[in-house]
């Protein structure tokens, strides 16, 4: 991990920030992408820069603006001179029950969860090939087993799982491409998930009878980047066993 340059999308908060902290603690230099969470991104940068000055750069972008995506890679390489890993973590998440699906909802969910990871990966590929680098896509166990009322989100993450395998084929042998499918780690901040009964229902479906921690995802990202040289095209569920119990 030492000296690697890693771009983490949606890295300012929650699972993305935990991932940044772990990769940084292991010696990586980071480009933390954020959209609206500027104050959280700046706070994370100053926290990590106190450990190693100059080790964290920030980039702001709405990932739905596809034309902007190659520039995120250019800015990373301009700043640190290389790119070793891309972590596609940013994601939008909201219900789209059948009968109420709009083109805007489709564009947002498919855009952040599938289209942006593709166009970022495409732009990053030459740099990643140079470094024998890798891509880690943050998927979801619901890419395989649908979450009711989340038709478009499920499809977007299903597409991301497929994209992970396609990119592994396309970018081999120089670049490894893998995914992680989290189960219940952090509850969404809005919506029906605030309800205690729904949370207990989901926890009850895990084998380990608890939610995971953001660092469970972070340490799997770290493993796939730094300690898994013979793994590509795979998606690892980090879900307390929920996916074998659905
Ligand atoms: N949390 C869980 O339990 C869980 C379960 C299954 C899968 N996952 C997956 O794990 C990853 C991290 O989960 P999380 O709960 O930490 O994610 P999150 O908080 O819902 O979202 C992460 C970040 O994505 C960014 N984002 C959303 N739409 C964007 C857009 N159009 N352009 C740019 N950035 C955008 C936001 O950045 P700003 O705040 O800067 O706007 C947000 O902070 C996601 O891929 C998620 O699908 C999480």
């Amino acid at each position: 991990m030492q000296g690697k340059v890693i771009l983490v999308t949606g890295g300012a908060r929650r699972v993305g920030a935990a991932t940044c902290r772990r990769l940084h603690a292991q010696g990586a230099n980071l480009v933390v992408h954020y959209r609206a969470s500027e104050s959280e991104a700046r706070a994370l940068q100053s926290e990590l820069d106190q450990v190693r000055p100059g080790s964290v750069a920030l980039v702001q972008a709405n990932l739905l603006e596809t034309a902007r995506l190659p520039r995120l890679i250019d800015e990373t390489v301009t700043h640190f001179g290389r790119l070793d890993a891309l972590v596609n973590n940013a994601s939008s998440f909201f219900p789209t029950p059948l009968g109420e699906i709009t083109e805007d909802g489709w564009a947002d969910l498919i855009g952040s969860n599938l289209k942006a990871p593709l166009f970022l990966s495409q732009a990053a590929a030459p740099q990643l090939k140079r470094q024998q680098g890798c891509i880690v896509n943050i998927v979801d166990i619901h890419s395989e087993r649908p979450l009711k009322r989340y038709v478009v989100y499920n499809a977007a993450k299903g597409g991301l799982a497929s994209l992970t395998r396609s990119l592994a084929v396309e970018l081999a042998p120089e670049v490894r491409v893998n995914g992680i499918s989290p189960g219940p780690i952090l509850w969404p901040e809005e919506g029906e998930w605030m309800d205690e009964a729904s949370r207990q229902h989901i926890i009850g479906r895990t084998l380990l009878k608890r939610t995971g921690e953001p660092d469970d995802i972070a340490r799997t990202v770290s493993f796939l980047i730094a300690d898994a040289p013979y793994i590509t095209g795979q998606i690892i569920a980090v879900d307390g066993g929920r996916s074998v119990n659905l």
Side-chain angles (χ1 to χ4, degrees):
M1 197 65 82
Q2 200 69 40
K4 285 188 192 296
V5 174
I6 304 175
L7 170 59
V8 180
T9 68
R13 308 171 63 232
R14 290 165 55 86
V15 173
T19 301
C20 288
R21 285 193 177 92
R22 176 165 280 271
L23 299 178
H24 187 268
Q26 293 174 329
N29 293 323
L30 299 179
V31 176
V32 179
H33 156 268
Y34 67 96
R35 175 190 54 182
S37 298
E38 181 175 353
S39 57
E40 290 92 338
R42 291 200 184 284
L44 182 63
Q45 180 185 38
S46 74
E47 173 193 324
L48 299 181
D49 267 351
Q50 278 176 21
V51 182
R52 283 202 318 280
S55 55
V56 178
L58 303 181
V59 285
Q60 193 281 335
N62 181 347
L63 298 182
L64 302 184
E65 293 170 14
T66 309
R68 173 90 176 82
L69 302 182
R71 282 191 279 137
L72 292 188
I73 306 301
D74 293 346
E75 287 165 25
T76 300
V77 175
T78 301
H79 192 90
F80 282 119
R82 56 193 272 185
L83 176 66
D84 296 276
L86 166 65
V87 181
N88 285 307
N89 168 79
S91 160
S92 55
F93 176 76
F94 51 85
T96 51
L98 205 61
E100 297 173 26
I101 297 172
T102 63
E103 281 205 50
D104 283 351
W106 168 271
D108 190 330
L109 288 161
I110 299 286
S112 67
N113 287 291
L114 177 57
K115 187 176 177 187
L118 167 62
F119 283 93
L120 272 175
S121 299
Q122 178 171 267
Q127 291 295 333
L128 293 175
K129 282 190 177 178
R130 200 161 297 144
Q131 297 304 128
Q132 306 268 302
C134 72
I135 297 171
V136 180
N137 293 324
I138 309 300
V139 190
D140 192 308
I141 52 169
H142 297 299
S143 60
E144 289 191 28
R145 293 180 172 87
L147 179 60
K148 194 165 169 58
R149 298 174 10 92
Y150 286 73
V151 176
V152 181
Y153 175 81
N154 296 333
K157 289 293 197 183
L160 183 59
S162 172
L163 180 68
T164 302
R165 292 184 282 266
S166 284
L167 290 177
V169 170
E170 297 297 329
L171 297 177
E174 296 95 338
V175 179
R176 296 178 300 106
V177 186
N178 292 293
I180 297 168
S181 276
I185 305 291
L186 282 181
W187 304 112
E189 288 169 340
E190 294 168 9
E192 56 212 46
W193 305 79
M194 299 307 289
D195 169 35
E196 188 57 29
S198 340
R199 293 181 177 195
Q200 288 309 323
H201 175 74
I202 289 168
I203 290 169
R205 302 297 297 173
T206 67
L207 297 181
L208 302 184
K209 303 301 175 200
R210 59 180 176 83
T211 58
E213 302 287 333
D215 196 49
D216 288 313
I217 305 306
R219 69 180 76 200
T220 313
V221 173
S222 164
F223 165 70
L224 286 171
I225 292 174
D227 212 13
Y230 201 53
I231 300 181
T232 193
Q234 304 304 309
I235 296 171
I236 301 176
V238 179
D239 67 347
R242 187 175 179 213
S243 54
V244 295
N245 201 30
L246 281 175

